[in-house]
């Protein structure tokens, strides 16, 4: 199982439409939203390219946003962690 851990930008929440679109992907096993982090659990990955789009809604205006962190790791072997940074639209 693979986990995509998305730290949301300050002042933003994931839209319910975004959650629904993710849940309709056959590879997505489960989605958890805890405070400012979204966890997307994937059954497995293969050589096929995958695209995941999270639609966010700004609920609190925040200045000087810091980059969000996106982590991708194997649930059973988290040592092979991949980290990316996202600072806004089109990450």
């Amino acid at each position: 199982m693979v986990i995509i851990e998305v730290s949301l930008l300050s002042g933003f929440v994931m839209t319910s439409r975004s959650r629904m679109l993710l849940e309709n992907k056959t590879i997505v096993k489960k989605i958890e939203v805890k405070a400012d982090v979204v966890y997307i659990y994937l059954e497995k990955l293969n050589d096929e390219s995958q695209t995941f789009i999270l639609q966010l809604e700004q609920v609190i205006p925040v200045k000087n946003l810091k980059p969000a962190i996106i982590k991708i790791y194997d649930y059973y072997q988290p040592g092979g962690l991949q980290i990316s940074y996202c600072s806004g639209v089109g990450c």
Side-chain angles (χ1 to χ4, degrees):
M1 182 176 346
V2 176
I3 300 175
I4 301 173
E5 182 179 320
V6 182
S7 297
L8 299 177
L9 295 167
S10 298
F12 285 80
V13 296
M14 184 174 72
T15 65
S16 56
R17 176 172 163 65
S18 182
R19 182 181 184 121
M20 182 184 68
L21 291 172
L22 286 172
E23 288 173 339
N24 284 337
K25 285 186 160 274
T26 56
I27 194 170
V28 175
K29 184 173 182 177
K30 176 178 161 181
I31 298 171
E32 286 183 352
V33 180
K34 295 185 179 179
D36 59 349
V37 180
V38 176
Y39 298 91
I40 304 168
Y41 296 82
L42 308 178
E43 191 65 46
K44 62 181 176 178
L45 289 179
N46 54 29
D47 294 340
E48 196 174 311
S49 177
Q50 296 288 328
T51 301
F52 297 90
I53 298 173
L54 271 68
Q55 295 175 339
L56 305 179
E57 178 182 358
Q58 187 172 19
V59 292
I60 301 171
V62 176
K63 292 183 180 181
N64 301 321
L65 285 174
K66 304 296 182 213
I69 298 174
I70 301 169
K71 300 177 185 176
I72 302 171
Y73 53 92
D74 185 322
Y75 179 83
Y76 301 105
Q77 297 176 348
L81 181 64
Q82 298 291 321
I83 300 176
S84 297
Y85 298 92
C86 176
S87 58
V89 179
C91 301

